[in-house]
Amino acid sequence: MKILIRISFLGTSFYGTQKQSDKKTIQGDFESLLSRVYDEKVKVTISSRLDRGVHALDFALTFDVPNDHVTLSHLEYYLKRSVSKDIFIKEVFPVDDNFSPRYDCTNKTYLYLIQNGTSVNPILNPFTYTPTKPLDIEKFKACLSLFKGLHDFRSFASPEGEEKTLLVVDDVILEEQNDLLKIRFTSKAFLRYQVRFMVGTCIYVAQGKLTLDEVKESLATGKELRIRYKADPQGLILEQINYPQLENTQETPSVLLF
């Protein structure tokens, strides 16, 4: 039997989601907890590899149950009592043995937050990027609109090996809430650092360090940008993962501060 666990977490406390031998990570913490409760080594599969400091309102991981020593209800109770205070257990339930938390989603939505005003709310600092002076919002919007659709994102990510860089971004939405910019990117898959590089590129265009023509050329041809900027991790939140084949799912909790 395979079990899916859906969580949200504060990324500040973790060195990313992928297991590291000497660092605190989401995968490492859950493998340790599950191995303890089953009294047997348990390997966990994660839905996304997130960077150090990146947060998640919706994140999934699965594992194959090694024995019948623990009931589902006890497992959920144990996890809720044992996980770090920076993790919230949303759901624990069985899924098909062939289910993949990474490949069986139809799309993911990332949210990036920017405080773009002359005054800064320090309470939001752990979840936002704040430029030294307000960005040119019209230039920022113009650059942001370029990323929707099919493009070569080679210069807007850190592709690994022979990874495909020709991808489709399904939707890009900018919402302005006073001086808070809320940028959402939705796609089936993202390359490593892609969202942070896309936001960083928009920041550089808004600051006059890059032109829209340079961005257009790079997206069309894969040509490397003259300069690149990877936006800070704390402004990035994995907001939602869609698994339409799963009937028993909960709503992603709202971000009360935003």
Side-chain angles (χ1 to χ4, degrees):
M1 181 169 66
K2 179 175 284 188
I3 298 292
L4 181 140
I5 305 170
R6 272 180 114 156
I7 65 173
S8 55
F9 64 84
L10 180 67
T12 311
S13 305
F14 299 93
Y15 284 78
T17 54
Q18 189 174 35
K19 186 176 180 179
Q20 299 182 49
S21 59
D22 58 343
K23 298 287 192 301
K24 182 177 177 63
T25 67
I26 293 294
Q27 185 180 30
D29 273 19
F30 274 90
E31 287 191 354
S32 177
L33 287 169
L34 292 168
S35 297
R36 193 178 308 140
V37 72
Y38 284 103
D39 197 26
E40 199 170 323
K41 187 173 182 179
V42 175
K43 181 179 173 62
V44 162
T45 301
I46 57 176
S47 57
S48 306
R49 185 173 67 179
L50 303 184
D51 311 326
R52 178 184 179 183
V54 174
H55 317 289
L57 280 173
D58 194 16
F59 191 82
L61 50 90
T62 59
F63 71 96
D64 293 320
V65 176
N67 56 55
D68 58 1
H69 297 169
V70 182
T71 65
L72 190 63
S73 60
H74 178 71
L75 173 64
E76 185 170 359
Y77 173 80
Y78 165 79
L79 289 174
K80 288 181 176 180
R81 290 290 299 271
S82 304
V83 293
S84 158
K85 61 181 176 60
D86 294 323
I87 298 174
F88 174 69
I89 304 291
K90 295 166 60 178
E91 296 181 282
V92 180
F93 59 91
V95 290
D96 188 88
D97 287 343
N98 295 320
F99 178 82
S100 167
R102 180 177 178 184
Y103 297 111
D104 284 344
C105 73
T106 52
N107 58 56
K108 302 173 185 176
T109 297
Y110 282 93
L111 169 66
Y112 198 92
L113 301 170
I114 298 176
Q115 292 195 72
N116 192 45
T118 54
S119 61
V120 175
N121 182 349
I123 294 174
L124 299 183
N125 285 348
F127 309 101
T128 58
Y129 165 81
T130 305
T132 54
K133 62 180 182 179
L135 303 170
D136 183 322
I137 192 63
E138 294 308 317
K139 287 183 178 179
F140 190 95
K141 288 179 180 177
C143 183
L144 195 63
S145 68
L146 299 178
F147 292 114
K148 184 175 178 178
L150 176 66
H151 304 289
D152 191 332
F153 290 95
R154 182 176 305 277
S155 195
F156 303 88
S158 293
E160 299 173 295
E162 299 300 316
E163 195 172 18
K164 279 178 52 181
T165 59
L166 195 65
L167 299 173
V168 175
V169 171
D170 299 321
D171 209 359
V172 182
I173 298 173
L174 172 64
E175 179 184 350
E176 298 179 65
Q177 184 178 315
N178 298 319
D179 289 335
L180 183 66
L181 305 182
K182 301 195 286 187
I183 307 124
R184 288 181 169 88
F185 299 89
T186 300
S187 179
K188 165 76 172 172
F190 293 89
L191 300 167
R192 191 178 188 191
Y193 304 136
Q194 183 179 338
V195 175
R196 290 172 62 190
F197 272 118
M198 288 190 292
V199 173
T201 301
C202 292
I203 291 169
Y204 267 14
V205 168
Q207 292 174 335
K209 298 177 181 178
L210 279 171
T211 67
L212 289 173
D213 285 341
E214 287 178 293
V215 177
K216 290 176 184 177
E217 182 183 11
S218 183
L219 286 169
T221 65
K223 178 183 176 182
E224 187 172 343
L225 285 170
R226 175 171 48 85
I227 50 173
R228 301 202 308 165
Y229 175 54
K230 182 170 63 178
D232 294 352
Q234 77 278 359
L236 183 59
I237 301 168
L238 175 53
E239 187 175 39
Q240 189 169 24
I241 308 175
N242 288 318
Y243 299 111
Q245 68 272 48
L246 301 180
E247 296 179 359
N248 180 28
T249 58
Q250 295 180 345
E251 291 291 329
T252 300
S254 61
V255 190
L256 298 179
L257 285 176
F258 312 130

